[in-house]
């Protein structure tokens, strides 16, 4: 005999929860992260740190001890996942100083990401292992209270080149700059021994601002050694020609978008052949100039509560705004953003594997948490639907990291999710109306106006 669906779900609920308390979340619209359309009136059962039931509305008696939360009129999306951020590099208007890299500063930023709905963060290089690895272990185990953390150890740069010493005054505890292939292999081996999740290289000359670029024999040694250690390599790039060479040589992730010229079909075909991942970081170039123009969203609490006081003072300074507006790099950044959006859309439409990131935390202007919501908006500006953009920032971002336990709202997945007051499937701006953030099955924050940066 087949049980009626409400009774079947009630039986499943009792089986899932047993004698201990569970949480039933009723009434919400759910965008599950897979790219499927939003579903109304979905019941979610949170059992411990994961979902045990995701199904249609359930209106039956629950087992004793069951907590019921009514989110009627709200929308739930998975926690956002950043594939490209940095921890411990900035504080206020200061950035790139080794003294800033501390557990306390990193946790401050990771709590901000989480308050803004980013529940998993990848710090893609410039990490101090003495701080990074114990913090990562504590976050993985739930012993520290912030977004979960993955990362790329030191990262490998260029002597006299990228990343710029003026921007990133990183010492040997945060960055390797090998001069020979053997030194490059040794840097990879050391990172692998420490337990890095990824290997990061900085390749380009930061749009002509640096005198040298990484030599091909160095990046090839990094890629070969990393692959021998079963590690993937993410590369900081700008130019199409560099990206093409890296893909040919087997790089796994392009950690920024191509911004100098349109991508071509040959490049797309090669990326497909190699299965290369692409993270556009659209917000990176916009952040270089947009705050000097004071768009209307800067007056909203969602933005204001992400900005530390010293940075807010800078944004209000007319002299600073005039300097940025008159800087010759501003039209370059505008053009780079436009090219990046066009390339991202073409690659997305071609079926290239795309992840999600903004380079948030690398400089004071790339604001943790807020940057990720600008990235969602810019992906929609580039031509994706809101549901497609959310899919990139959740399921696809998790897939880039090789994580199959999060990124979607489904049975057995981690209960990391964001409750929104509005429907981002109709207007992506609704992603900024956060009512609550849940992590590992527990509500960890409410509205962002309750957060103090």
């Amino acid at each position: 005999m087949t049980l009626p669906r409400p009774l079947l779900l009630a039986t499943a609920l009792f089986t899932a929860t047993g004698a201990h308390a569970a949480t039933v979340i009723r009434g919400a619209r759910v965008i599950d992260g897979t790219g499927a359309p939003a579903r109304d009136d979905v019941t979610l059962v949170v059992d411990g740190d994961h979902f045990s039931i995701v199904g249609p509305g359930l209106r039956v008696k629950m087992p004793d001890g069951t907590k019921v939360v009514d989110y009627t009129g709200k929308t739930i999306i998975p926690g956002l996942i950043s594939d490209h951020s940095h921890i411990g590099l900035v504080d206020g208007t200061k950035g790139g100083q080794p003294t800033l890299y501390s557990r306390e500063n990193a946790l401050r930023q990771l709590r901000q990401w989480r308050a803004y709905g980013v529940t998993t963060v990848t710090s893609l290089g410039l990490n101090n292992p003495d701080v990074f690895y114990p913090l990562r272990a504590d976050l993985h185990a739930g012993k520290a209270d912030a977004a979960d953390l993955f990362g790329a150890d030191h990262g490998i740069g260029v002597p006299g080149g990228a990343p710029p010493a003026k921007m990133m005054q990183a010492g040997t505890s945060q960055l390797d700059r090998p001069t020979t292939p053997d030194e490059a292999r040794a840097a990879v081996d050391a990172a692998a021994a420490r337990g890095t999740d990824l290997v990061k290289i900085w390749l380009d000359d930061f749009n002509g601002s640096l005198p040298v670029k990484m030599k091909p024999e160095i990046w090839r040694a990094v890629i070969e050694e990393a692959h021998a250690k079963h590690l993937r390599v993410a590369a900081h790039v700008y130019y199409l020609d560099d990206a093409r060479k890296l893909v040919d040589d087997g790089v796994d992730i392009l950690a920024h978008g191509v911004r100098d010229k349109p991508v071509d079909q040959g490049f797309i075909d090669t990326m497909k052949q190699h299965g290369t991942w692409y993270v556009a970081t659209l917000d990176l170039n916009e952040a270089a100039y947009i705050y000097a123009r004071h768009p209307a969203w800067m007056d909203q609490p969602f933005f204001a509560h992400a900005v530390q006081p010293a940075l807010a003072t800078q944004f209000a300074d007319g002299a600073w705004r005039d300097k940025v507006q008159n800087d010759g790099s501003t039209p370059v950044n505008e053009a780079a953003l436009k090219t990046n959006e066009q390339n991202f859309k073409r690659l997305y439409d071609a079926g290239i594997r795309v992840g999600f990131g903004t380079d948030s935390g690398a400089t004071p202007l790339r604001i943790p948490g807020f940057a990720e919501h600008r990235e969602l908006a810019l992906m929609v500006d580039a031509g994706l639907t809101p549901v497609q953009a959310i899919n990139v920032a959740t399921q696809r971002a998790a897939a880039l990291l090789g994580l199959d336990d999060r990124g979607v709202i489904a049975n057995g997945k981690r209960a990391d999710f964001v409750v929104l007051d509005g429907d981002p499937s109709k207007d992506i701006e609704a992603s900024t109306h956060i009512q609550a953030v849940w992590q590992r099955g527990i509500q960890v924050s409410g509205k962002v106006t309750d957060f103090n940066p």
Side-chain angles (χ1 to χ4, degrees), residues 405-429:
D405 65 340
R406 69 196 74 186
V408 296
I409 295 174
N411 296 349
K413 303 299 184 182
R414 271 177 55 136
D416 294 354
F417 59 95
V418 187
V419 183
L420 305 172
D421 187 14
D423 184 357
S425 70
K426 293 182 168 50
D427 182 356
I428 197 62
E429 195 268 341

Side-chain angles (χ1 to χ4, degrees), residues 44-246:
L44 307 176
V45 179
V46 177
D47 188 19
D49 64 358
H50 65 280
F51 296 111
S52 61
I53 295 175
V54 177
L58 178 60
R59 298 292 184 268
V60 297
K61 179 176 173 55
M62 303 299 172
D64 292 342
T66 302
K67 177 182 177 182
V68 179
V69 179
D70 193 322
Y71 278 139
T72 299
K74 310 300 183 187
T75 301
I76 291 176
I77 65 173
L80 305 182
I81 297 171
S82 171
D83 294 321
H84 189 164
S85 296
H86 295 274
I87 63 168
L89 301 183
V90 301
D91 189 13
T93 58
K94 296 180 292 186
Q97 302 169 23
T99 55
L100 297 177
Y101 200 104
S102 67
R103 181 182 175 97
E104 293 73 23
N105 194 30
L107 276 171
R108 175 189 65 79
Q109 293 177 302
L110 288 163
R111 289 180 183 127
Q112 177 160 322
W113 267 299
R114 189 181 66 181
Y116 279 72
V118 186
T119 52
T120 300
V121 171
T122 307
S123 186
L124 206 57
L126 296 166
N127 296 299
N128 181 333
D130 292 339
V131 173
F132 174 79
Y133 288 106
L135 178 58
R136 184 187 68 172
D138 285 348
L139 289 163
H140 284 353
K143 295 179 180 179
D145 185 30
D148 202 3
L149 178 65
F150 296 84
D153 201 83
H154 290 174
I156 297 172
V158 183
K166 185 179 292 186
M167 179 189 299
M168 300 294 178
Q169 301 167 26
T172 55
S173 65
Q174 287 179 268
L175 179 66
D176 297 309
R177 295 186 189 268
T179 60
T180 67
D182 284 344
E183 289 180 0
R185 293 188 185 96
V188 172
D189 291 345
R194 287 188 289 264
T196 190
D197 299 301
L198 299 161
V199 174
K200 166 74 175 290
I201 58 174
W202 285 265
L203 175 82
D204 65 83
D205 59 6
F206 277 54
N207 198 23
S209 66
L210 299 171
V212 292
K213 295 167 65 174
M214 181 174 281
K215 296 177 181 178
E217 57 264 32
I218 300 295
W219 82 58
R220 288 172 187 150
V222 170
I223 293 171
E224 289 172 4
E225 191 69 12
H227 288 176
K229 298 288 184 180
H230 307 289
L231 291 168
R232 294 178 299 155
V233 180
H236 176 115
V237 295
Y238 187 96
Y239 308 108
L240 176 60
D241 288 348
D242 289 338
R244 194 190 312 277
K245 293 172 185 174
L246 282 163

Side-chain angles (χ1 to χ4, degrees), residues 318-339:
W320 177 82
R321 293 199 302 267
D322 289 343
K323 181 180 178 181
V324 173
Q325 291 278 47
N326 296 323
D327 193 315
S329 66
T330 292
V332 175
N333 280 306
E334 289 180 298
L337 172 59
K338 182 177 180 180
T339 300

